[in-house]
Amino acid sequence: MQSATQIRLAVSADEDAVLSLGRALHAESRFRNTALNVARTRVAIRALIEGAPAGCVLLAEHRHAGVIGMLAGYVSEYFFADVRVAQDKCFYVLPQYRGSAAALKLLIAFRRWAENRDARELCVNMSVDIDQERFGRFMRHMKFSACGSNFVLALTPAHAVG
């Protein structure tokens, strides 16, 4: 029996669906009060979709609901060593599908994608501030170790100070 959610690589025709997920992520995240630059976002989406083999956008597609989640990432080397690592750029599942198999399947697919590119480490970050506790539990369940923390300090640009 086929699962209700399948994972696949995004193609150029998926740009609008990826942008739609990006808008949902933006609206839910700590960045919601920062204007979304749609043109810039489209350029980034295209670069990742067309960036094979070093970049990818994986989509979770529900049989009835369409695209419900994404994990975008890339492979690069540490600046200090000849070691390939895979890093996420964006990992998001629509709220109504959290708790389904979508996030699990996306993470497993990203791991396989990274292993196929000889990555020695998989790094997934949380900087959008969406349900950090639940995300941490999920990542620990998936055998990831916490390494460091994200800290943010809002600044006032010099040109804005009168």
Side-chain angles (χ1 to χ4, degrees):
M1 175 181 218
Q2 186 178 17
S3 171
T5 302
Q6 299 296 315
I7 306 302
R8 65 178 177 83
L9 282 168
V11 295
S12 296
D14 294 312
E15 185 179 317
D16 288 337
V18 174
L19 179 60
S20 179
L21 283 173
R23 286 179 189 273
L25 181 154
H26 180 265
E28 189 179 354
S29 77
R30 70 182 184 90
F31 301 111
R32 65 186 155 277
N33 295 322
T34 303
L36 179 67
N37 182 329
V38 174
R40 184 179 181 125
T41 303
R42 282 188 182 280
V43 168
I45 291 167
R46 276 187 219 117
L48 282 166
I49 289 174
E50 297 168 3
C56 73
V57 178
L58 295 161
L59 298 177
E61 191 167 35
H62 188 276
R63 181 178 0 176
H64 303 296
V67 176
I68 60 168
M70 66 179 162
L71 200 162
Y74 61 97
V75 172
S76 64
E77 290 185 353
Y78 283 127
F79 69 91
F80 58 88
D82 298 327
V83 175
R84 293 173 61 80
V85 295
Q87 172 75 50
D88 79 306
K89 280 257 192 210
C90 174
F91 185 11
Y92 183 74
V93 174
L94 291 170
Q96 63 270 35
Y97 293 97
R98 293 182 194 151
S100 73
L104 173 73
K105 288 180 174 188
L106 283 165
L107 196 55
I108 290 169
F110 188 50
R111 178 179 178 166
R112 287 185 183 138
W113 180 88
E115 289 170 338
N116 287 332
R117 281 146 188 83
D118 297 322
R120 296 229 332 250
E121 189 171 71
L122 190 60
C123 302
V124 178
N125 295 310
M126 162 57 91
S127 61
V128 294
D129 198 18
I130 299 173
D131 204 352
Q132 289 187 41
E133 208 172 293
R134 183 177 186 182
F135 182 76
R137 282 192 311 270
F138 171 68
M139 296 306 287
R140 285 187 294 280
H141 173 76
M142 296 300 296
K143 307 296 185 219
F144 280 72
S145 299
C147 178
S149 301
N150 292 316
F151 295 92
V152 177
L153 175 66
L155 301 175
T156 303
H159 70 274
V161 178

